[in-house]
Structure formats: structure tokens, C-alpha cells
Amino acid sequence: MKRHFDEELADLKEDILDLGSLVELAILNSVNALKNLNRQQAERMIVKDKEIDEWELKIDEKCLNLLALRQPMAFDLRFIAMAIKIGTDLERIADLAVDIAQRVLELADKPLLKPLIDIPKLTIVAQEMLRDTLKSFVKQDVELAKQVILRDKEADSLRDLVQTELINDYMIKDVNTISRAIPLLLIARYLERICDHATNIAEDVIYMVKAKVVKHHPEKLVNNHS
Amino acid sequence: MVNPTFRITGLDAFYGNKHVLKNINIDILPNAVTALIGPSGCGKSTFIRSLNRINDLILTFRREGKVCYHNQDIYAKDVDVVELRRRVGMVFQKPNPFPKSIYDNIAYCLKVHGIKDKDKIDATVESSLKKAALWDEVKNSLRQNALTLSGGQQQRLCIARTLAVEPEVILFDEPCSSLDPISTAKIEELIHQLKQSYTLIIVTHNMQQAARVSDFAGFFLLGELIEFDKTDKIFTAPKDKRTEDYITGRFG
């Protein structure tokens, strides 16, 4: 039986995807600003974050209305509960993109400490994880969500590489590099946090589809039976 | 492991040729609320009426399988059905107080069970009305006709009447379907309190009510028990697609 409620749920899904697209664009803009050390690009990107904050509030309000008015059960309930959490994670990702842009402003007027190698790699991992996690949400694809979660280690390793190199090869050897190294160190940290939020979303997708909690239980990802 | 109050195994029920319950297997645990949900005609009322043999009053009713109450088959030949119905009380959809005073509604039940001591009757009337959360509203009008009470008060009087004979189990067959939201909330609160001392089974069409009041929930469809589990599982992550479709309103 087709329900009017299904249309409301489809609308909510569209809203999450629209927010997801804005967040993907925010990351792309801050990453481009970093690549070009472009102050104007970074500033433009920071201003646009307001729009994303508004979307998060809109999704929250829609979810609360649906919970109150429809009193959903089972998948419907899990979908709406996860929509609230996914909205929050997406907004946090956008905040991290803003943080990157702010660090770009600090870096913009100085020569780059070193050519960027691992940060661009980490950027690609973060962008791909976000894209795949949103795809797994749209398609309710548990396998793809699992791949996103398993990829989080790759992000951790790249962040560690950046961190070790900046500290050992630059900051310890020459304290004058610290002001240029710290923004890069923080950017690696922000990118890795973006991957963590993408992982959270993937875990929520698995709960939404399978009613199975994999958060804080990585062993459940290996057990593929249910 | 807690011993179940009821253990039902392979229960089939028929009205004439109509097969209304099909191979029901379920344990009902003590001091818990078990809610039964499902569309009209799915067999849930027949099921609870099988637990105190009220179905016996229907001439065409026939059953197979076992209904054990504390390990005793209630359909065995030597079972005292009056005593069974005292221990397994029932509250119906529509409040059905006797056209007598509030006091007599309860006193009459006690007299039927052979209690004649006036002091004991007075004490039981008071304690039953207190347990049913009605005492404060009626203590000054015990001689008033019960039919002058509101629907919600009448239903709580029926619960008090059931409690007066000290049952162990109370079966509720859609107890709130004719009540307003405030009376419904009072009955639900009462159900929550009663489960400390009683085993409760409630048939309801109101999904939110089942979710609010019960610890376990069973979904019946076309005479079959499709799924039985802890209530939070049934309403957040049902295993069977038919349960999912029913509780989310996709059924049909």
C-alpha cells in the first residue's frame, strides 16, 4: 500500500542528499583554496557555511515533525533517527572544511613549507569516503557502507605520515618552521576527522538498513552472515 | 531462567470449520506485559480467551494443543474452570459494570466467591479501588450507581472488580478502545503499576499503546503468530517483513 508518508520520507532523503552535495562542494572549495593557497577562494568558502547550517536545522525540524506527527516504527523510525544523525555529521564535515579554509588564510601569504604529497592523498580519501557513504545511503547499500568504514584506517595512516614528517623533519629541526607546519598538521587532522564523520554515516546506514549496530563493534563488520 | 506463567504449545482453534488459530507456540512470562497486535480477525482475541477458557461458552469452539498454566493443562478434565477464571481475570473492550452501586460491583464478586465477612468485604473494596487508581475519585460516593461514572472510571472499576478476587493474570481485550486519551493514559499507567504484582496480557489495535505499555509483543496474522519478541525489537527492528509492513502501515 502506497502511503503519503512515503512521499515525506522521500523528501527527507532528497534534503539529506542536497545537504550532502553542498558539503562535498565545501570540501572541494577548501581543498582548491589549499592547492592554490588562494585567500579569496578560502574566504568565499567560509561565508557559504551559513547555508549548510540552515540545511541542518531544516532537516532536524523535518525529522522532529515526522517523529511527532507520524510516530514511525521499524525501518521508518530508523531512517528518521539516522537522518538526524547524518545531518549532524554532514554539518560537522562542513565545519571542518571551514577549518581547512581558515588554515589556508594563515598559510596564504607565506611560502609553502614543502611540496604537498600526503595531504592531497588524504584529501582524495576523504572526498571518496564522503561520496561513497552518501551513495551507500541513497542505495541502502550495506556492502559499500562497510567498505567506507574499513577505509578509515587508510586515512589514519596518512594523517600519521603527515604528522610524523612535519614534526620530525621540520618542527624539531628548525623552530622557525613551526608557524607554517602547524596549519598543515591541523589540515591533516581535519581531513582525517572528515573521514571519521563519513565512517559514522556509513555505520548509521548499516543500522538503518539492517538494524545492526556496528558502531564501536568493528568485529561485526567481518561477520557477514546477517 | 524464569518459569513462564503460561506455556502454549501447538495450539489450534476452530469455530466450526473455521481454523482461527494455527499452531501457536508461546511462553507468557510473569510480572511482564505481553501485547498482542494484528489486524481484526487475526485470532488475537480468540487466543487470550483460550487462556481462561471463556471460549468454552461458544458452542462451535474447538481446540487442539496445550495451554499450560504453571505446568498444568487448563483443558484437562479435572480443572476447576471457575477457579481458573478467578486466577486468570479478564477486562473487556467496553466497560461492563453491573447496574449496581460502585461498592456492590466489587462486593458482589466477593460474595459469589463465598466471602461474607462485612469487614473483609469493606477492606477489599477499598484496596481494590486503590490498586485500580480509582479510590480517590469515588471514596465519597461508593453507594452511587456505577453507570453514572465516566467511561474511563467504569473501566477502572472493572479492573478493580477483577483485582478484588486476587487473580494472578489479567487479560485485557482492547481495554482503551472506547476511552478518551486521558482515561487511556490512566489505564496505561495502571497497567504499568500492576505488572509489579500481576502477569498482564493486552490485545490492542493501537500500535503506540502496545509500544508504550508492553515488555513483549506478538504479531498475529490470519491465525498465525508471525513474530514474538521483546517489544523494543518488534517496533524498531522486526525480523519478519509482514510484521514490518503491519506496524509501519504498509499492510494491505
Side-chain angles (χ1 to χ4, degrees):
Chain A
M1 189 167 64
K2 179 84 179 149
R3 307 169 306 170
H4 174 56
F5 187 27
D6 290 325
E7 288 169 26
E8 294 173 319
L9 293 175
D11 272 355
L12 176 60
K13 191 173 183 177
E14 282 292 319
D15 287 347
I16 297 263
L17 287 180
D18 288 349
L19 175 59
S21 304
L22 285 174
V23 173
E24 280 185 309
L25 191 62
I27 295 180
L28 186 69
N29 287 336
S30 60
V31 163
N32 282 338
L34 172 64
K35 220 182 275 174
N36 309 323
L37 288 182
N38 185 318
R39 179 176 281 279
Q40 282 76 30
Q41 263 182 321
E43 280 168 348
R44 268 203 307 275
M45 186 271 146
I46 293 168
V47 172
K48 282 207 96 178
D49 188 52
K50 260 196 171 329
E51 194 184 342
I52 290 177
D53 293 345
E54 293 298 324
W55 267 97
E56 188 205 7
L57 294 179
K58 184 181 155 192
I59 287 170
D60 277 356
E61 191 185 346
K62 219 173 222 185
C63 290
L64 285 177
N65 282 341
L66 288 174
L67 287 172
L69 302 178
R70 295 293 187 176
Q71 297 164 8
M73 300 282 193
F75 179 83
D76 300 336
L77 176 64
R78 300 199 301 273
F79 175 78
I80 295 169
M82 292 309 106
I84 297 175
K85 297 182 70 175
I86 291 170
T88 305
D89 273 311
L90 287 173
E91 192 274 335
R92 288 291 300 128
I93 291 175
D95 284 348
L96 289 161
V98 168
D99 289 339
I100 293 172
Q102 282 169 340
R103 299 294 83 72
V104 170
L105 294 179
E106 291 167 12
L107 291 167
D109 303 327
K110 303 164 196 163
L112 205 55
L113 188 60
K114 63 180 276 298
L116 301 180
I117 299 162
D118 292 319
I119 285 183
K121 283 187 200 163
L122 185 51
T123 304
I124 291 169
V125 173
Q127 286 175 308
E128 286 179 357
M129 281 177 72
L130 178 61
R131 193 193 57 212
D132 286 348
T133 208
L134 287 170
K135 205 164 152 190
S136 75
F137 171 74
V138 179
K139 295 185 179 291
Q140 297 177 20
D141 184 340
V142 170
E143 283 311 311
L144 186 57
K146 278 184 187 173
Q147 284 168 29
V148 171
I149 297 169
L150 294 171
R151 218 176 160 189
D152 192 38
K153 277 193 181 141
E154 196 182 329
D156 292 347
S157 307
L158 282 167
R159 179 215 42 206
D160 291 346
L161 271 179
V162 173
Q163 202 163 291
T164 311
E165 190 192 9
L166 286 170
I167 294 174
N168 293 346
D169 297 352
Y170 294 92
M171 296 165 81
I172 290 178
K173 286 183 180 164
D174 178 4
V175 288
N176 292 321
T177 62
I178 288 179
S179 65
R180 283 183 293 156
I182 283 183
L184 292 176
L185 210 135
L186 287 171
I187 286 170
R189 161 88 182 136
Y190 300 147
L191 288 167
E192 184 272 327
R193 288 294 299 147
I194 288 174
C195 297
D196 286 345
H197 286 291
T199 304
N200 287 349
I201 295 173
E203 288 165 344
D204 292 340
V205 168
I206 293 177
Y207 178 70
M208 181 182 93
V209 178
K210 288 270 189 190
K212 189 167 142 186
V213 179
V214 295
K215 193 164 269 189
H216 312 309
H217 292 284
E219 75 283 359
K220 289 192 180 171
L221 282 176
V222 184
N223 181 356
N224 233 342
H225 299 306
S226 63
Chain B
M1 187 72 189
V2 185
N3 286 326
T5 304
F6 276 103
R7 168 157 288 172
I8 292 99
T9 40
L11 178 67
D12 281 81
F14 306 83
Y15 294 123
N17 292 327
K18 202 173 167 207
H19 197 171
V20 290
L21 286 178
K22 296 167 187 168
N23 190 27
I24 307 295
N25 296 283
I26 187 173
D27 279 355
I28 304 287
L29 296 183
N31 301 112
V33 181
T34 300
L36 304 177
I37 56 171
S40 296
C42 68
K44 54 197 189 302
S45 290
T46 303
F47 174 75
I48 62 164
R49 285 159 177 264
S50 302
L51 303 183
N52 66 351
R53 292 186 54 174
I54 289 211
N55 281 333
D56 290 9
L57 306 173
I58 298 168
L59 289 175
T60 56
F61 177 76
R62 182 168 63 82
R63 56 130 269 292
E64 289 164 11
K66 273 196 170 171
V67 178
C68 288
Y69 173 60
H70 293 300
N71 294 324
Q72 194 196 353
D73 183 359
I74 64 165
Y75 286 93
K77 276 187 182 150
D78 56 347
V79 167
D80 177 349
V81 177
V82 174
E83 175 60 12
L84 171 72
R85 289 178 192 154
R86 182 191 70 72
R87 289 170 71 177
V88 183
M90 193 153 190
V91 175
F92 296 90
Q93 182 173 359
K94 200 162 168 266
N96 54 353
F98 305 131
K100 290 170 174 284
S101 71
I102 294 166
Y103 179 93
D104 283 338
N105 259 273
I106 296 170
Y108 179 75
C109 296
L110 298 169
K111 286 174 191 162
V112 166
H113 281 89
I115 299 164
K116 298 208 171 96
D117 180 345
K118 170 97 172 50
D119 289 344
K120 183 161 172 42
I121 291 175
D122 285 352
T124 308
V125 168
E126 182 174 337
S127 67
S128 307
L129 288 169
K130 278 182 176 163
K131 280 186 215 161
L134 186 58
W135 175 251
D136 288 342
E137 292 163 54
V138 301
K139 63 186 173 193
N140 298 321
S141 51
L142 291 175
R143 297 291 163 192
Q144 190 183 309
N145 192 306
L147 297 177
T148 62
L149 295 173
S150 72
Q153 288 172 323
Q154 288 186 21
Q155 193 63 306
R156 277 179 285 147
L157 177 61
C158 293
I159 294 172
R161 199 170 65 186
T162 307
L163 295 173
V165 296
E166 298 179 348
E168 185 199 355
V169 181
I170 308 174
L171 310 172
F172 291 91
D173 195 351
E174 295 182 52
C176 301
S177 59
S178 61
L179 304 184
D180 69 28
I182 294 168
S183 301
T184 298
K186 283 184 181 170
I187 301 279
E188 287 180 5
E189 190 51 40
L190 183 56
I191 287 173
H192 184 70
Q193 286 163 17
L194 290 174
K195 81 169 175 188
Q196 316 297 326
S197 318
Y198 304 89
T199 300
L200 307 172
I201 305 174
I202 177 168
V203 164
T204 177
H205 275 133
N206 182 331
M207 226 76 71
Q208 275 71 33
Q209 179 171 66
R212 283 192 298 264
V213 303
S214 69
D215 303 293
F216 299 94
F219 170 57
F220 279 79
L221 183 67
L222 300 169
E224 284 180 65
L225 178 62
I226 302 295
E227 189 165 350
F228 182 68
D229 209 332
K230 286 185 177 165
T231 299
D232 57 350
K233 283 269 172 240
I234 291 280
F235 288 106
T236 60
K239 290 195 186 82
D240 195 290
K241 189 174 181 305
R242 290 167 292 180
T243 315
E244 169 102 23
D245 285 349
Y246 183 71
I247 63 175
T248 56
R250 285 194 181 86
F251 197 77

